[in-house]
Amino acid sequence: EAGVAQSPRYKIIEKRQSVAFWCNPISGHATLYWYQQILGQGPKLLIQFQNNGVVDDSQLPKDRFSAERLKGVDSTLKIQPAKLEDSAVYLCASSRFRDPAADTQYFGPGTRLTVL
Amino acid sequence: GESVGLHLPTLSVQEGDNSIINCAYSNSASDYFIWYKQESGKGPQFIIDIRSNMDKRQGQRVTVLLNKTVKHLSLQIAATQPGDSAVYFCAEKDAGGTSYGKLTFGQGTILTVHP
């Protein structure tokens, strides 16, 4: 089975510019997650979708970050305007949602964002 | 240049040795504990998990031990190979309330295996 796909793999922008990341989860996975991983740290959850609805966006900086999953499959994460501290790897993960406790989350390769 | 991993614990072993990576967790209500392996330029890869009602679980070359009394988790890798070199993260999951299976990652450990 194909894994989680993400694009682009790398992106360099200047501060105050906007950027968007795309994620295609594993086929049949109802739950999709976006994480931010700052260099030297573990991933931190930004937003979690269940199908096309938001389950948890408590750690998403909503003044500049937005995410959508309109048809319950692919998702986009946008940053506008970007700040220097947004430099990080943005990881997408998905899980089946048969059992939120036991479901394994599978991660994509991530998008490395550098803000200059 | 980048200061990669300056603040992460490190473990260096010789090929063939056994490795033990430790993790302290914070939430006593967590239901599941998971170990992920992350190689450079890749996303975290699931290794093994353990439910809170267990204290040991074994996989292929890996064993996870859970001590709820002291909130400690460990990952044992038998006969460590150069391909095991990576950053290892523990993560905890609280399936109750509104957490909905949210993963909280701990600090990673850099494992380096010398041939």
Side-chain angles (χ1 to χ4, degrees):
Chain A
E1 121 186 302
V4 177
Q6 290 188 248
S7 68
R9 291 297 314 277
Y10 305 92
K11 190 74 177 178
I12 300 174
I13 62 172
E14 294 189 348
K15 60 183 179 183
R16 291 188 289 273
Q17 286 187 323
S18 62
V19 64
F21 312 126
W22 173 84
C23 172
N24 181 242
I26 294 173
S27 177
H29 281 196
T31 309
L32 186 147
Y33 313 79
W34 283 102
Y35 289 85
Q36 180 192 59
Q37 186 174 25
I38 293 172
L39 200 62
Q41 299 180 18
K44 183 186 83 172
L45 180 69
L46 292 175
I47 188 167
Q48 177 181 348
F49 291 94
Q50 180 60 36
N51 294 310
N52 61 350
V54 175
V55 172
D56 183 352
D57 63 356
S58 58
Q59 304 223 67
L60 187 74
K62 298 180 187 64
D63 58 333
R64 298 184 299 106
F65 286 64
S66 64
E68 60 183 15
R69 194 185 183 200
L70 293 176
K71 296 183 179 179
V73 181
D74 294 4
S75 176
T76 55
L77 175 70
K78 297 178 181 178
I79 307 175
Q80 182 180 13
K83 292 186 176 181
L84 296 177
E85 59 261 36
D86 298 332
S87 293
V89 175
Y90 290 84
L91 294 161
C92 180
S94 69
S95 64
R96 288 190 181 275
F97 193 62
R98 282 182 295 196
D99 177 351
D103 280 347
T104 297
Q105 292 184 27
Y106 296 93
F107 285 80
T111 297
R112 181 176 293 277
L113 173 67
T114 302
V115 182
L116 302 176
Chain B
E2 292 182 331
S3 55
V4 178
L6 278 184
H7 302 291
L8 293 180
T10 59
L11 175 65
S12 289
V13 300
Q14 291 295 127
E15 182 177 2
D17 287 352
N18 296 331
S19 302
I20 300 176
I21 300 171
N22 297 301
C23 175
Y25 65 91
S26 56
N27 185 1
S28 57
S30 291
D31 299 287
Y32 270 86
F33 302 88
I34 307 103
W35 281 99
Y36 281 91
K37 171 187 179 182
Q38 188 171 25
E39 296 174 277
S40 181
K42 297 183 179 180
Q45 176 189 356
F46 173 87
I47 301 173
I48 190 168
D49 62 4
I50 187 168
R51 196 160 193 164
S52 59
N53 62 356
M54 302 170 66
D55 53 22
K56 180 179 180 179
R57 190 175 185 203
Q58 288 185 293
Q60 186 177 13
R61 284 202 306 120
V62 294
T63 301
V64 56
L65 299 177
L66 175 63
N67 185 332
K68 292 183 288 293
T69 302
V70 294
K71 290 195 263 188
H72 183 267
L73 191 67
S74 68
L75 177 70
Q76 300 177 2
I77 305 174
T80 315
Q81 302 166 2
D84 295 327
S85 294
V87 180
Y88 288 79
F89 290 97
C90 64
E92 54 186 303
K93 186 189 291 187
D94 180 358
T98 59
S99 298
Y100 234 31
K102 172 184 174 180
L103 274 178
T104 301
F105 282 82
Q107 184 181 38
T109 296
I110 300 172
L111 174 65
T112 303
V113 183
H114 301 282

